[in-house]
Amino acid sequence: MNTNRKIGAAFAIGALLSTTACAAAGAEDGVVPVAVGYQSKTINTVTAGTLMKELGLFEEHLDAAAEKTGETYDLTWHDFASGPPLTAEMIAGKVHIGSMGDFPLSVNGAKTAEYDDVKTSWVSVTGYNLSGSLNQIVVPNSSDATTLTDLEGKVISTSLGSTAHGNLVSALAAAGLSPDDVELLGQDPPVGVTALESDQVDALAQFVPFPQRVIFSGEGRLLHDGDTGVPTFHGVVASDAYTDEHPEVLQAFLAAQQEAEEFLHEHPLEAAMMVAEATGLPPEVVYLYNGPNGAVTFDMTIKDVLVGAVETGLPFLQELGALETLDLDEFVDEDPLRERYGAAYEETKASLANPSAITGHDEICDLDVADPATASEAWPAGEESTQVAATPTCLLRLVAQGGEYRALYVPDTSSGNRIFGEHATWVSDPSADENATLLPFGTVADADAYAIEHAGSQVIDYQTALTSV
């Protein structure tokens, strides 16, 4: 499989489209076109896409700008399945502001830099995960695989050139394998999910929300949680020529993004329901990632560790032929965010804390819920609010009292990433604190490793763990 040819061809098409850039960006007298590209189903971009759109925030800020400038703004939203086609439309001058994952964002910066009229800058971040766990690898429930080495010679579906692809290659390398030791099949995420569920592939390596969607549906289980030690994120890029001419549009967008982020933090369950209704995704899956202590940390600032992650990923993209070089100093533009945040920008940028946390009081164990390493949450069926627990063990005690639950959310004991408790592998450790004797793990391998290191521990399934309390 010649992946270089496939990825190179995709951007060659975008380059041909650039000849129409000036005409496509034109507007009638007094009417300013505003074209926003987003990925509705990539739910860690919702503050710059789906949620912002559903709340009507950008429209409100454009109306306010119109009162000052006297212009009429013609806003259109363009939904994409992934970053590469969005970049092609930006090269063609048909999209002015777009959000995408870190690898496509890097390619966007490199490719648009070749054309002065459509050159872009990286202007904000939507959401990030410091360990890389917005990309994960799942296998069918029928699979015998428990570690990545078990995939040697197997077929793995992924989006070629995506961050999920890069994460897979890094994970394979850490396991002593190369891409040549497996068969990579390039597929869009929904196609890959179908292929996994119909046993056409042995594993799926994809980005948020598709791996956990497979797990929640009961069609697969987690093999690798995506932790490569390299952060992953989604960000926003904007056309320099466009924003130089219409700086008020970019400021209106960033103001809307900031308000969408605040709404998500203040009303996480409502935000999840809104995104689910707009996208058709299960709200329980959206809330797993975007809720308190979720796998996604929503923060607009362009943090140094995220710039470093882009730098780390460049050799992979260069080897694929997706880009030749990227001048990060030229590509990153924090000035619009500094204008938005004022003196608070540097302090916010320096913080790596998740501003959305599970808090409250655990009535079952009579404990305050404060530690993100153990804080857990249950979503009762038919309810518009959740119940909190200080630890996963306390959460099981709550569930054991009866009632039906849409989903259970617990932190993975190894990584701290939020996972579905009812789909976790559990370990019973009688030597642990009385409120921490039952520990959830996202993968069988991590549960086995813990049990080996802690004498007397036993690996069990969810129903056994629930029965034991």
Side-chain angles (χ1 to χ4, degrees), residues 240-271:
D240 289 353
Y242 180 85
T243 56
D244 285 347
E245 186 175 357
H246 305 290
E248 77 282 0
V249 172
L250 179 56
Q251 280 302 317
F253 184 89
L254 294 177
Q257 185 185 347
Q258 187 174 36
E259 290 181 6
E261 183 180 291
E262 290 169 353
F263 182 90
L264 185 146
H265 289 155
E266 294 170 7
H267 310 283
L269 204 61
E270 184 180 351

Side-chain angles (χ1 to χ4, degrees), residues 320-342:
L320 282 182
L323 56 77
E324 292 183 5
T325 186
L326 175 63
D327 186 338
L328 276 171
D329 290 335
E330 180 73 16
F331 182 44
V332 177
D333 183 6
E334 296 176 89
D335 287 344
L337 279 176
R338 287 195 172 96
E339 181 180 343
R340 179 72 199 156
Y341 277 79

